[in-house]
Amino acid sequence: MPLKSKDLAIQAAEAALEKKALDVTVLDLSGLTVIADYFVICSGDSTTQVKAVAEFIEQEFAKKRIRPLGVEGAAHSHWILLDYGDVIIHVFEKETRTYYNLEKLWMDAKVVEIDENKIDMAGKNKRAIHP
Amino acid sequence: MKIGLFGGTFNPIHFGHLRSAEEIRSMFALEKIFFIPSGNPPLKRKDLAEAKDRYNMVRMAVRGNPYFKVLDIECVRPGKSYTVNTLEQLLKKYAGVDFYFMLGIDAFLDIPNWREPEKIMSLTNFIVLSRPGNTFKDLLGSPYLDIKKSGLDGLTSINRGGRESCRTALPSSRKVFLAKVTPIDISSTDIRKHVKKRVSIKYMLPEDVESYIISKSLYMQGN
């Protein structure tokens, strides 16, 4: 069953969080540009992590029979772009993300809230609950 | 009705293309200029963006100009497009229109190497644009023009914003014009090189085309 682009974007974000990607942001670009409806932007600490996050997202979608239209940057892993048509996922190495600053380029886009608590992981992304 | 035809890879489109087109439009009082990005060639070139991306970038670039229009006629055709076929298709669709095919001096000199060059020369008028690095004197080598040495003075003395018509050596009723446009030394090759080296391309091309290139990570591979 085809996924709506917003759901695809949120699922990509959740997959990134599962692999401990940093600063996961989902931008709603619908109506702003022909490029895509959603950008999912996240960072990895190292090119190794960038590659791991990108591969995990691709695998998770492949399980659902969703394949990317294109993948860019996989050779060097400073910035891997997964093009799913309406949704484009950017996995950046931290310094590269700062340099290209896509969020500033698309500052008119709405930020989509992702519920980080949905991710079942020990530690990192869970918020501490104070009584 | 007079319509200009501006073909190319537009890999990517930039202000050099746009400004030249605007000057030609004005000089020749053309009603419209059709930008025709080429399709994907049969053998994939590493630094050639997908036809869809090049088409989108041209579309964004011409959006603000009511005289400019982008056609996907070559982008939708699978495989290599030949100018002669594109021209025949356009003449069928736009019957009664007088087309003016715009191109640089070097491209005009290359026409004998294209498919069915004499047919091409019979289907459309031509506007040959000055370009940095070429002079109209180079046209002496063209088999289609009838420029005797004495006619050279007229060619070399065209001022910017000026045009000259040229006698053709072919039996068709088509005309060839020479037009001197503002030399803008921006090239798509330089833009792609800058992108690869993380050098700014700001002000070389329209802002939203720049955003498109960055957002889709075009031309960045091979670092």
Side-chain angles (χ1 to χ4, degrees):
Chain A
M1 208 183 77
L3 268 180
K4 281 200 353 230
S5 38
K6 184 171 185 180
D7 296 323
L8 212 137
I10 293 177
Q11 284 181 30
E14 289 171 354
L17 284 167
E18 218 179 301
K19 275 296 180 182
K20 300 189 171 70
L22 307 163
D23 301 318
V24 181
T25 308
V26 179
L27 296 179
D28 181 351
L29 302 167
S30 34
L32 286 179
T33 173
V34 299
I35 299 176
D37 290 335
Y38 293 91
F39 274 0
V40 179
I41 307 173
C42 60
S43 311
D45 254 323
S46 61
T47 52
T48 314
Q49 197 194 7
V50 167
K51 209 175 165 72
V53 170
E55 278 175 356
F56 183 69
I57 296 174
E58 212 182 332
Q59 279 160 25
E60 289 296 290
F61 282 161
K63 284 188 204 163
K64 302 186 229 259
R65 308 273 194 87
I66 302 171
R67 310 224 175 257
L69 297 175
V71 177
E72 303 291 339
H76 300 276
S77 303
H78 296 290
W79 175 7
I80 297 184
L81 183 154
L82 301 167
D83 186 350
Y84 286 94
D86 294 329
V87 177
I88 297 184
I89 298 153
H90 303 270
V91 189
F92 280 103
E93 203 193 0
K94 281 205 295 215
E95 173 214 78
T96 310
R97 178 175 182 165
T98 310
Y99 179 82
Y100 286 108
N101 205 346
L102 292 184
E103 288 102 324
K104 172 133 186 259
L105 204 57
W106 298 107
M107 53 186 181
D108 292 332
K110 292 178 290 241
V111 177
V112 177
E113 295 296 320
I114 344 156
D115 186 0
E116 295 185 13
N117 289 322
K118 269 177 82 183
I119 311 305
D120 184 30
M121 300 167 21
K124 232 179 192 178
N125 284 314
K126 284 241 185 211
R127 294 194 199 99
I129 301 167
H130 298 286
Chain B
M1 195 190 213
K2 293 168 17 168
I3 296 186
L5 299 176
F6 195 2
T9 51
F10 298 114
N11 187 40
I13 187 166
H14 55 69
F15 283 133
H17 298 128
L18 294 163
R19 179 61 195 167
S20 300
E22 176 64 10
E23 290 182 12
I24 296 292
R25 179 202 64 75
S26 169
M27 249 191 259
F28 290 85
L30 303 174
E31 317 236 353
K32 279 261 186 284
I33 295 195
F34 289 168
F35 286 70
I36 306 177
S38 60
N40 288 323
L43 222 55
K44 188 168 165 72
R45 256 178 58 192
K46 249 194 351 195
D47 65 347
L48 183 68
E50 282 290 313
K52 177 171 166 234
D53 287 323
R54 292 182 286 108
Y55 172 85
N56 281 338
M57 290 191 282
V58 175
R59 199 176 94 189
M60 290 190 285
V62 305
R63 212 156 28 193
N65 191 328
Y67 296 102
F68 288 180
K69 192 177 152 90
V70 62
L71 297 186
D72 63 2
I73 183 176
E74 287 194 358
C75 287
V76 297
R77 228 188 262 142
K80 194 172 155 102
S81 286
Y82 292 100
T83 301
V84 63
N85 300 135
T86 301
L87 285 171
E88 284 171 330
Q89 220 179 313
L90 286 171
L91 284 166
K92 243 192 239 158
K93 179 161 185 197
Y94 296 93
V97 164
D98 234 353
F99 282 116
Y100 290 76
F101 196 93
M102 300 157 46
L103 73 185
I105 294 172
D106 40 359
F108 184 79
L109 288 173
D110 194 42
I111 293 180
N113 300 322
W114 297 3
R115 177 176 276 198
E116 297 186 71
E118 260 109 48
K119 180 127 195 239
I120 294 176
M121 297 303 297
S122 73
L123 293 176
T124 173
N125 303 297
F126 284 86
I127 299 174
V128 184
L129 283 69
S130 59
R131 279 182 44 115
N134 279 127
T135 74
F136 286 127
K137 258 165 69 172
D138 297 334
L139 290 173
L140 277 175
S142 172
Y144 306 121
L145 302 179
D146 183 13
I147 312 171
K148 297 189 183 57
K149 206 129 176 250
S150 56
L152 201 57
D153 294 327
L155 297 191
T156 52
S157 67
I158 310 178
N159 290 318
R160 186 164 82 220
R163 50 182 262 193
E164 245 332 276
S165 60
C166 231
R167 297 241 301 279
T168 57
L170 289 174
S172 82
S173 60
R174 302 300 173 186
K175 300 196 184 68
V176 175
F177 296 92
L178 311 180
K180 184 107 186 264
V181 294
T182 302
I184 295 181
D185 208 356
I186 297 176
S187 83
S188 300
T189 307
D190 286 344
I191 292 174
R192 299 195 302 271
K193 279 198 195 136
H194 289 345
V195 169
K196 258 218 203 126
K197 297 203 177 108
R198 289 205 198 174
V199 171
S200 163
I201 54 172
K202 220 168 192 46
Y203 311 123
M204 295 177 85
L205 69 186
E207 227 174 57
D208 40 7
V209 179
E210 186 196 347
S211 301
Y212 190 98
I213 290 172
I214 294 178
S215 301
K216 287 205 98 185
S217 158
L218 299 180
Y219 310 126
M220 289 186 199
Q221 301 322 307
N223 274 343

